[in-house]
């Protein structure tokens, strides 16, 4: 087997795998030989992503709906075998001041970002056990480690994802599985495009000024490319990363 095909025979599932960071991770894992199920709510988006590269398989699945997750994962398992790499990436990044955060908004953010990660990782655990090998990765955020102004619900959900992988890491510390969180700063994806509009509207500034605010937040003063995040996810699945467990990997341009 070529060194670059070290994931041949593995089945990976990436939630939110049709766009942005999730798609970059899916492409990286597929390039290393994995069969990759990409999920999301918009089947058309997933289908066009899958047409662009071999070994990507679209599957409609809403991570906020427990039945959708269970049925989706069962369908993926039936089609391509047990899922030993699970990337909980699907998420929304809507900012709202705490005063304007009603319970419905709070629950929406938690349901997608945190419940979704829990449901997906939990549903893949039996497959990791049957494979005798597993990698769980949660795409958290620097907002999982620090407060993000004007976004308490998002911040809490991303902190929760880190708690989830740490809990899994200690529960399965003696198993051949690892569970880690990746914590990016601002990455150039559709979320940032949507945030640009929303920050500009809320702060009464231009879209260019709003985008610059996000750029300046990254220590190296540029947006991060989705492929930079994907490189870390690929590394966590590669030979040599077996002892990296329960960690939060910051990809934020040097925030220390
Ligand atoms: P994105 O392109 O908007 O990706 C979000 C993905 O999540 C979409 O593919 C979306 O697909 C999916 N999704 C949303 N709600 C869902 C639901 N209920 N069920 C299933 N899938 C759902 O933006 P992104 O930046 O790549 O975001 C990916 C992750 O990175 C998110 O968790 C985000 O919080 C995190 N992150 C992003 C940044 C950044 O600056 N971009 C920084 C730190 C962390 P559908 O709409 O088709 O469902």
């Amino acid at each position: 087997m070529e060194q670059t095909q070290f994931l041949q025979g593995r089945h990976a599932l990436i939630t939110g795998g049709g766009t942005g960071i999730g798609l970059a991770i899916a492409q990286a894992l597929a390039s290393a030989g994995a069969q990759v199920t990409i999920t999301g709510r918009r089947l058309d988006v997933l289908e066009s992503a899958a047409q662009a590269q071999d070994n990507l398989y679209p599957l409609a699945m809403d991570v906020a709906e427990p039945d959708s997750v269970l049925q989706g994962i069962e369908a993926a398992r039936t089609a391509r075998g047990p899922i030993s790499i699970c990337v909980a990436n699907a998420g929304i990044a809507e900012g709202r001041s705490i005063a304007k955060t009603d319970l419905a908004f709070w629950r929406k953010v938690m349901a997608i970002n945190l419940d979704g990660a829990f449901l997906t990782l939990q549903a893949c655990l039996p497959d990791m056990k049957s494979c005798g090998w597993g990698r769980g990765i949660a795409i958290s955020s620097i907002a999982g480690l620090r407060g993000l102004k004007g976004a308490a619900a998002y911040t809490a959900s991303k902190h929760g994802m880190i708690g989830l992988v740490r809990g899994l890491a200690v529960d399965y510390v003696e198993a051949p599985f690892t569970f880690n969180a990746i914590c990016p700063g601002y990455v150039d994806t559709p979320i940032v495009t949507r945030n640009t509009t929303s920050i500009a509207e809320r702060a009464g500034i231009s879209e260019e000024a709003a985008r610059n605010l996000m750029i300046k937040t990254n220590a190296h003063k540029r947006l991060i490319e989705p492929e930079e995040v994907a490189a870390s996810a690929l590394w966590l699945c590669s030979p040599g990363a077996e002892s990296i467990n329960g960690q939060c990997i910051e990809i934020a341009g040097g925030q220390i």
Side-chain angles (χ1 to χ4, degrees), residues 16-22 40-42 61-64 89-93 112 139-141 154 158 184-187 189-192 194:
T19 62
I21 293 170
R41 292 162 303 177
R42 291 166 297 162
M61 184 176 108
D62 185 338
V63 295
N89 162 78
I92 53 167
I112 297 173
I139 306 302
S140 175
S141 166
Y154 182 74
K158 292 295 175 181
Y186 284 109
V187 185
T189 72
I191 274 187
V192 160
R194 285 192 295 274

Side-chain angles (χ1 to χ4, degrees), residues 1 18 22 26 30 42 96 119 129 203 210 251:
M1 191 189 305
R42 291 166 297 162
R96 201 179 275 195
L119 291 167
K129 288 179 188 161
I251 305 178

Side-chain angles (χ1 to χ4, degrees), residues 91-95 105 109 113 148 151 154 158 191 194-195 198:
I92 53 167
E94 291 176 26
F105 176 76
V109 175
N113 292 0
L148 181 65
Y154 182 74
K158 292 295 175 181
I191 274 187
R194 285 192 295 274
N195 275 356
S198 129

